[in-house]
Amino acid sequence: MAVLAQYPQYFDSILRNPDQYRVQIIYTQIDRGANNMPSFRPYYYQVDPNKYFYPASTVKMPTALLALQRLRELNKPGLNKYTTMITDSAYSKQTAVFNDPTTPDGRPNIAQYLRKIFMTSDNDAYNRLYEFLGQQYLNDELRKKGYSSAEIVHHLEVVMNADENRHTNPVTFLGAAGDTIYHQPMQVSTLAPQPRHDSLGIGYEKDGAIVHQPFDFSRKNRISLEDLTGVLKSILFPQSIPESQRFDIDADDYRFVWKYMSQYPQESVYPPYDTSFQDAYCKYLYYGGEKGSLPKQFRIFNKIGDAYGFLVDVAYFADFDRNIEFMLSATILSNKDGVFNDSQYDYETVGFPFMKQLGRVIYEYELKRPRKTAPDLNEFKLLYDK
């Protein structure tokens, strides 16, 4: 990507060591034509669906969209994203959820899980949607939509083996009077693992000791950067992709997801977030690890992930003051010593600075890029909680 070569002070050492940093970038220019219809021109740097990166929390994005789709498919009167959702337990390592102190009435629901996923990348919220969908449905649907690289096969943060991840909790949706609208018993996935050889590094930590052999990611979640970009495009610009690749959700669901993808934690009422959740908490591209408040007329609709030294961000930028828009997706491995699972990563010195400067360099380029037609971005101007 020629534009990066113009900034050796930011990117030279990283671009000269592609194997060490495993950088992949997709930069998508957006131009508007008649009736404001968007056209897309993607540019790729080192993008390879066979070059593994751990997607971390980015898998929450397709999971969230499928949860909304599943509610529509069930087509039960009174069942929607605001319906009380009780998660029970029926198998090893499963845990139950009967209340949620972050909602106004204490009732758990899918809408609240989505808010937590997009504003602060909450792991428990993702786990509850993974359990509602079940491993089989989650993966079958993504592959049906053409996201063939996707293999989302486990919970996050909690440690479960493959058998425990195949078994997902019973779920019951309750009406206002406590009546059962829909009950789903425990599901058991028969999903066959894809043959993979995704081992990285020179060692990993296990039980406090270093094992001197590559760390095997082949049974961990996977989705390519191109498929993640496709998922984001499908939710922001559904008319621009084939109907078979879209998520079956309605106009209210689209706007709900847009809102919480771009709302800052400090703009949230429920859940209430303390000041440790800064505006840039989940905005790696352009902001890196920055703290403090961010401008309101510049919004990033995105989903990030970080784990095992990998940073990932898949984002759409809309600057309403300057009237520019673009998409940018990137991943980088910040793990110079090649040892995984030891919590010794180079996020602050390598990963976050790279993400910040990448976002800013592309933004500055977009400011100068000529456009035949100025975009009308009004549909992405949203009313936030506060």
Side-chain angles (χ1 to χ4, degrees), residues 187-198:
Q187 300 177 82
V188 185
S189 169
T190 59
L191 187 75
Q194 297 184 14
R196 289 163 50 186
H197 303 285
D198 295 326

Side-chain angles (χ1 to χ4, degrees), residues 278-291:
Q278 297 285 316
D279 286 355
Y281 186 76
C282 285
K283 309 295 179 190
Y284 294 165
L285 287 166
Y286 195 89
Y287 292 111
E290 201 169 292
K291 305 292 188 287

Side-chain angles (χ1 to χ4, degrees), residues 217-236:
F217 284 92
S218 62
R219 294 278 56 85
K220 294 197 176 292
N221 290 337
R222 180 185 66 171
I223 185 169
S224 71
L225 196 65
E226 196 154 22
D227 278 352
L228 282 170
T229 302
V231 170
L232 181 66
K233 186 178 175 185
S234 78
I235 194 66
L236 293 164

Side-chain angles (χ1 to χ4, degrees), residues 46 95 185 217 219 243 251 290 317 319 357 379:
Q46 297 279 6
T95 58
F217 284 92
R219 294 278 56 85
E243 194 169 348
E290 201 169 292
F317 292 71
D319 186 326
Q357 297 303 338
E379 67 176 333

Side-chain angles (χ1 to χ4, degrees), residues 143-191:
R143 290 172 195 175
K144 269 190 223 171
K145 295 181 192 304
Y147 303 115
S148 58
S149 71
E151 192 167 22
I152 302 176
V153 292
H154 60 78
H155 293 72
L156 296 178
E157 197 170 15
V158 296
V159 178
M160 293 187 176
N161 62 34
D163 176 63
E164 290 162 340
N165 280 304
R166 280 195 295 270
H167 290 74
T168 45
N169 308 42
V171 174
T172 305
F173 290 89
L174 302 177
D179 52 310
T180 297
I181 294 175
Y182 172 69
H183 174 72
Q184 179 176 279
M186 180 176 71
Q187 300 177 82
V188 185
S189 169
T190 59
L191 187 75

